[in-house]
Amino acid sequence: MSRVDPAPPPPAPALSTGAVARRLGVSPTTLRSWERRYAIGPARREDGRHRRWTPQDIARLEEMCRLTARGVPPSEAARAALGGAPGAPAVTRAAAVTPGGPGALPLGEVRPEARGLARAAVRLDAPAVADLLDSALAGHGLVTAWEEVIAPTLHAVGRKWASAGERYVEVEHLLSWHVSAALHRIRPAPQRTAEPPVLLACTPGELHSLPVEALAAALGERGLPVRMFGAALPAEALRDAVRRTGPRAAVLWSQSRTTADHALARSVAGIEWGLRGARGHSALLLAGPGWGAQPQGPRTERLFALRSGIEVIEALLVRAPGPAAPGPPAQGPAPSTGAGRATPASYGS
């Protein structure tokens, strides 16, 4: 009986320019520019027009990205990626390194879009960062894009900065600026409720405002009323804002224990607003890892993940208003902050 040789494995699929751009964290325009200027293009095209990048083509591009991220001029990086060291083809060498090289961000298991965003941020490729953020928000929606693409990349930048001294500060600043800009481009829906607003602010001295910016954008998308006060709101200004707006809830963000002011939190939770004889209280929602896990005071809850935090706020906004602590919802039980909990870091930056 004759032996039948196993069939060879099918060739790896070739990718389009857009798919490669998302994988590597560069814009399609950048790939076309590299092809035109440095002849670092795909091996073949379909019907003579559409570019299709093979694994070998992508390995060369990864080497190009790795070198440019280390400050090598693009022309020299292209020559190295195409030629390589004597006796070692560039494709083999590029495939053997960790994607992004030694400067890559420590991402772990994440969506491919997060790796592309990280690579673009490390290269300080602002157009690619903006394109990738808009693509993630449009393709996955704000909450999924934040929790699975944007926040993991921001965390990785922070870890890299913490382990590399003053290096990568510029990466964090560029990425943070573009994340904030992308969130601000999300247009709010018409308000669907006449309920009092939700007040969002960071504690005094807290400059990490991106998580509350994401929350503000997500609530705005749902047509919920929001008053956003951003980073480092002074304590007396926060108390005045609560008295003047009579919010259904106040969300107070703290990134670190040094900015988590528990005395301020108790003070805000105790504020009464409205006319004498018809006083009301706001629910206080403490968000961010700075607050820790210690028990909270009256009318105070903890928010953990963005998705479950939105559920908590939506439940508060449909409860009947009252002069004291928020009462039971009009229909069915409201989700608590423990529902669908994630670690505090999943909400933060």
Side-chain angles (χ1 to χ4, degrees), residues 1-5:
M1 188 173 181
S2 60
R3 182 175 62 88
V4 178
D5 293 331

Side-chain angles (χ1 to χ4, degrees), residues 216-345:
L219 295 175
E221 270 193 327
R222 289 159 173 76
L224 301 176
V226 173
R227 298 293 182 271
M228 173 63 165
F229 292 90
L233 185 65
E236 193 52 43
L238 172 63
R239 287 188 280 262
D240 284 346
V242 171
R243 295 187 189 100
R244 292 174 60 187
T245 62
R248 197 75 186 92
V251 178
L252 199 54
W253 174 268
S254 171
Q255 179 75 12
S256 68
R257 292 185 178 182
T258 59
T259 61
D261 189 335
H262 291 272
L264 174 62
R266 290 190 294 271
S267 171
V268 171
I271 291 176
E272 292 184 339
W273 41 258
L275 298 174
R276 183 172 298 177
R279 295 285 191 180
H281 289 91
S282 303
L284 179 62
L285 306 176
L286 301 180
W291 297 108
Q294 56 185 284
Q296 310 306 325
R299 293 184 294 276
T300 303
E301 293 185 80
R302 283 281 276 121
L303 297 186
F304 290 88
L306 178 60
R307 191 181 305 274
S308 60
I310 294 169
E311 294 174 355
V312 170
I313 292 171
E314 286 186 313
L316 283 170
L317 288 175
V318 300
R319 295 179 187 179
Q331 293 183 348
S336 71
T337 49
R341 278 191 182 183
T343 59

Side-chain angles (χ1 to χ4, degrees), residues 111-127:
R111 284 183 178 268
E113 294 94 326
R115 296 197 179 281
L117 181 60
R119 291 185 176 109
V122 169
R123 289 197 315 277
L124 304 182
D125 188 340

Side-chain angles (χ1 to χ4, degrees), residues 159-217:
R159 289 192 296 269
K160 193 72 173 180
W161 178 18
S163 64
E166 288 301 309
R167 295 184 60 208
Y168 296 93
V169 175
E170 72 283 3
V171 176
E172 182 188 42
H173 280 234
L174 181 137
L175 179 59
S176 298
W177 190 92
H178 280 283
V179 169
S180 181
L183 293 172
H184 289 176
R185 286 194 292 271
I186 297 174
R187 296 180 62 84
Q191 288 192 11
R192 71 185 201 208
T193 175
E195 283 292 317
V198 178
L199 186 153
L200 308 178
C202 297
T203 56
E206 180 55 72
L207 300 177
H208 292 80
S209 63
L210 286 179
V212 285
E213 292 179 41
L215 179 58

